[in-house]
Amino acid sequence: MTTRAKEAIKTGLAMAIAYGIARQLGWDKPSWAGFAVAMISLSTAGQSINKGAMRMLGTLVGLVAALTILALFSQDRWLFLIVLSLYLGFCTYMLTGKKLVYFWFISAFVCMLISISGGADSQNAFHIGLAREQETGLGILVYSLVSVCLLYTSDAADESSRGWGGVVG
């Protein structure tokens, strides 16, 4: 079987399992679990797990930032927008660096998504944020398990071309 076929089967299987579990549990937006699978699907298991970790941590930081901004500034619209804009500007600045680019992108995106969709109701924002976090985590967990346990392909060809296991001398 070709590598492209294996990757397509792996991603499709993980997406179907994650979406099915989220629907079976009655979660609000099961599509977020499938979306997380699609976004972290890369050519090697190590890259996918790294991107999944960055997505999960970025979602968590964005959730905490959004809930903090909503808790402190929900009564004053202008102050809320100014602080949210400052956080998004900080994340955008961090995107120009060389490290953790995907983390900062996800953090800004999730913070904006939860802050705007939650509105002035902090309880609604909290429920949206928790749903986003748990469904993203489910998608990452399912893809990682399918990728590593069921359809693992060795990265030996990549490692042999880089030297001693990818360690740069």
Side-chain angles (χ1 to χ4, degrees):
M1 191 180 294
T2 67
T3 304
R4 289 179 66 188
K6 286 180 184 178
E7 291 300 319
I9 290 169
K10 180 172 48 175
T11 304
L13 178 64
M15 191 176 290
I17 291 170
Y19 188 80
I21 290 171
R23 279 191 56 84
Q24 189 66 30
L25 292 173
W27 288 351
D28 291 337
K29 305 256 186 204
S31 58
W32 285 346
F35 190 68
V37 169
M39 289 297 106
I40 67 165
S41 175
L42 293 172
S43 59
T44 65
Q47 289 175 337
S48 296
I49 290 171
N50 183 38
K51 192 171 183 182
M54 291 297 110
R55 187 170 190 87
M56 192 70 194
L57 290 174
T59 301
L60 183 62
V61 169
L63 169 67
V64 169
L67 293 178
T68 302
I69 292 169
L70 280 170
L72 295 175
F73 306 107
S74 64
Q75 298 300 316
D76 187 3
R77 268 186 278 180
W78 287 106
L79 198 54
F80 168 76
L81 287 174
I82 289 170
V83 173
L84 179 63
S85 297
L86 287 173
Y87 181 76
L88 296 177
F90 173 74
C91 289
T92 304
Y93 172 75
M94 295 304 287
L95 281 170
T96 61
K98 295 182 180 184
K99 291 188 175 191
L100 306 174
V101 173
Y102 190 67
F103 167 81
W104 290 111
F105 174 78
I106 294 299
S107 179
F109 175 75
V110 168
C111 181
M112 185 176 59
L113 177 87
I114 292 170
S115 296
I116 301 301
S117 64
D121 183 14
S122 59
Q123 185 177 7
N124 186 35
F126 182 75
H127 288 295
I128 289 171
L130 282 185
R132 181 79 182 192
E133 186 70 28
Q134 73 186 24
E135 291 175 22
T136 298
L138 174 69
I140 292 167
L141 177 68
V142 168
Y143 182 81
S144 299
L145 290 174
V146 167
S147 179
V148 172
C149 297
L150 295 179
L151 295 170
Y152 180 73
T153 55
S154 175
D155 299 335
D158 292 340
E159 289 179 13
S160 66
S161 66
R162 284 182 268 164
W164 295 356
V167 176
V168 178

